[in-house]
Structures are given as C-alpha cells and as structure tokens.
Amino acid sequence: MTTTPPDVDVVLPCLNEAGALPWVLERIPPGWRALVVDNGSTDGSAEVARAHGATVVPEPRRGFGAACHAGLTAATADVVCFCDGDASLDPSLLVPFVREVQGGEADLVLGRRCPQGRGAWPAHARVGNLALARMLRHRTGLRLHDLGPLRAARRTPLLALGLTDRRSGYPLQMVVRAADAGWRIAEHDVPYLPRTGTSKVTGTWRGTWQAVRDMRRVLDEPPAHGGGTLR
C-alpha cells in the first residue's frame, strides 16, 4: 500500500506548547502535514498534537535548531515550512509563501513580524533582532528586517545547505548559507500575535542576548561555497 506524500510539510518546534497547539494546528492548510517536533515537553504537548492530527517527531536534544533540523530531516514533501508552535504566528499565512517558492519566484521566503497588540514583541527582543539584521546586512548584503521563524523553501536544497547550528543560530545560519549559495530571498510582512505561555528564548534580556551570541557565532563563520546551490 502506498500513501500520497503531503503537498507541504510544516515543521513546528515544540517545548511545552499544549495550550497553543490546538489553535496552531487548526490553521494548517488542507493537504499539508504538521510535523510537531517534541523537544522534551512535560505538559502533554505530544498527545495534544496527535489528537489534532499532527505527526510527532521526538527530539530529546534540547535546542531550537535541534528541533527545527529534526523536523527538516523527517520531512518528505518538496516544500518545507517552519512556524513557531506558540500561537504567535498563523501557519495559514504560509500559503502565499509556498506559492512563491513553487512558482519559482523565490528560493526562500521569510515572514517579517509586525506586532499586533501590546506585549506581542518585547522591547529587548526587538533590539536584539535589529542588531542581528544589521550584522546580517554587513555580512551578506541582504536588506532584511527580521529573522523570524515563519519561512518556506524546498526541502532538498535546504538539506544541502548543511546546517550545523542546533541552538538559536539555526534560523540565521539558514539565511546566511542560502545567501552564500546565491538563493533569491524574499521577505513579507506577517502579523505577530502575543504568544501563549512564556518564551524559552527571548522572554528575558538574558535569553535574548544568549540568542544574539549564538547568532554572532554564525555570522563569524567563513562564507560557504557550493552547498545548497539551486542553479
């Protein structure tokens, strides 16, 4: 017996997001598959995910990058998307991103977070993101405004980038290595909602600057050549 592969896989890194997952999973577009990567949850997130039709991928090694990459390696669809599982971003917003990738207009599409309501994006997190965007511009020439988690690209070229960061630097490393490989990278505004629960990365100044340090190490890497080249 054969099964039809999903049109798109959506990777949702998850650490104790039981309260947010129902909202998120209800917004996965029809025909797409949700891959909830359980990064050691203790609140029953995996059970909630399965109850809402998601495929659960266990990843015991802690780290945002570890969870994202476990989802990428478990994916089978041609196009893979990434979205936080904390209800701060609506995965249905990925539909035009995927259309842009499938139509050959861009190789990597990113969501620029636009805060909706008070407390959606703390000041220290915005400051850290702004600093990283400036460093990224200096490193690659890309005039991006955000390094947010909502994104879409083709699976095989993503794997060919050889991403190695397993902490907070993973999203940035993806962009840097894609830029080095000559990818066409697009950015579009998306509404950013107050998350459900407490952030594991940018909920505090300390967490934010730890993430900045992780990403600064990525920016200090020498330019990659050839990996993930699309053309």
Side-chain angles (χ1 to χ4, degrees):
M1 177 179 179
T2 60
T3 57
T4 303
D7 295 332
V8 177
D9 280 327
V10 183
V11 176
L12 298 158
C14 171
L15 176 58
N16 294 330
E17 305 289 7
L21 283 174
W23 185 92
V24 175
L25 294 173
E26 287 167 3
R27 285 160 175 78
I28 298 293
W32 294 16
R33 179 175 63 161
L35 297 175
V36 174
V37 185
D38 185 11
N39 204 205
S41 299
T42 58
D43 68 344
S45 289
E47 290 75 15
V48 170
R50 291 189 185 95
H52 284 79
T55 297
V56 175
V57 178
E59 175 48 76
R61 179 170 50 168
R62 287 291 179 91
F64 182 76
C68 287
H69 203 69
L72 175 59
T73 56
T76 57
D78 178 47
V79 176
V80 178
C81 298
F82 296 84
C83 179
D84 277 351
D86 58 12
S88 62
L89 291 161
D90 185 340
S92 69
L93 297 171
L94 287 161
V95 170
F97 288 27
V98 170
R99 190 179 301 124
E100 198 167 346
V101 171
Q102 291 176 329
E105 301 166 46
D107 304 312
L108 174 62
V109 185
L110 309 172
R112 178 186 182 183
R113 292 169 289 185
C114 299
Q116 308 293 303
R118 193 173 181 177
W121 201 357
H124 53 269
R126 293 196 208 189
V127 170
N129 190 74
L130 178 61
L132 287 166
R134 288 175 174 170
M135 289 188 282
L136 176 68
R137 185 176 304 176
H138 178 74
R139 165 67 173 74
T140 66
L142 291 173
R143 301 184 66 84
L144 298 177
H145 301 85
D146 190 14
L147 297 169
L150 199 70
R151 49 187 63 192
R154 293 191 184 276
R155 177 178 57 87
T156 300
L158 275 175
L159 289 169
L161 290 176
L163 302 177
T164 57
D165 191 281
R166 295 296 181 263
R167 290 164 56 93
S168 302
Y170 189 88
L172 177 61
Q173 189 179 57
M174 182 187 295
V175 174
V176 168
R177 294 197 176 184
D180 287 348
W183 290 27
R184 296 160 300 170
I185 300 174
E187 181 182 61
H188 303 299
D189 290 351
V190 294
Y192 190 51
L193 309 172
R195 62 159 290 142
T196 299
T198 303
S199 173
K200 287 79 175 177
V201 178
T202 58
T204 65
W205 277 100
R206 181 178 181 181
T208 295
W209 290 113
Q210 177 60 57
V212 170
R213 285 196 296 270
D214 287 348
M215 295 185 185
R216 184 57 188 264
R217 286 195 291 270
V218 170
L219 290 169
D220 289 339
E221 293 179 354
H225 299 284
T229 300
L230 294 162
R231 292 174 297 283

